[in-house]
Amino acid sequence: MSEYAAKDASDALARARELGSSVRGSGRWYVRYQVIFGCASALCVLAIGLLSHPYGVALGTGFWVVVIAGLSVYSARQRVVGRGFALRHGGLIATWGVLNGAVLAGGVTWFPGVAAWWVPGAVVVALPGLVGGFLAARR
């Protein structure tokens, strides 16, 4: 009887390893999500800051709406999220929101059209997504 129990246990462990590998591979989507989010937010900030008014705002906002809609559909179609996903994603959005608000408010108020403000500002706004994608890829 113990011979059958050992075989069943061995099969169960093999199946658990297979499922674990599949789940880890399916959770990699969030790396792509974060990198796209970071790059798109940088492009949006550049459009708003460097293109003439109202074209920059219209182009940047329209682009952002399309990107967020696409990322939302993409994330909704994923089968797996990693442990601690809600906390990490909330941190990404909160950090990005503070940085994005500061760069846009400062730039629109004091530095309209000044590339020396908007280019570094775009890099700063992209950092939460890019750093988050790097950290998620290392997991």
Side-chain angles (χ1 to χ4, degrees), residues 34-130:
Q34 289 182 323
V35 170
I36 291 168
F37 184 92
C39 292
S41 63
L43 289 174
C44 181
V45 165
L46 288 174
I48 290 172
L50 296 179
L51 298 178
S52 63
H53 185 75
Y55 304 111
V57 174
L59 182 64
T61 304
F63 173 71
W64 189 245
V65 167
V66 169
V67 167
I68 292 302
L71 286 174
S72 296
V73 169
Y74 175 66
S75 66
R77 296 178 54 94
Q78 303 308 311
R79 301 177 302 149
V80 175
V81 295
R83 184 176 295 151
F85 170 80
L87 184 62
R88 284 193 310 272
H89 188 66
L92 164 73
I93 299 301
T95 304
W96 169 84
V98 168
L99 294 173
N100 191 53
V103 167
L104 290 177
V108 168
T109 304
W110 295 298
F111 303 105
V114 178
W117 172 266
W118 292 103
V119 172
V123 172
V124 167
V125 167
L127 283 177
L130 299 177

Side-chain angles (χ1 to χ4, degrees), residues 9-20:
S10 175
D11 290 345
L13 286 173
R15 179 71 176 144
R17 279 191 297 274
E18 179 184 321
L19 287 174

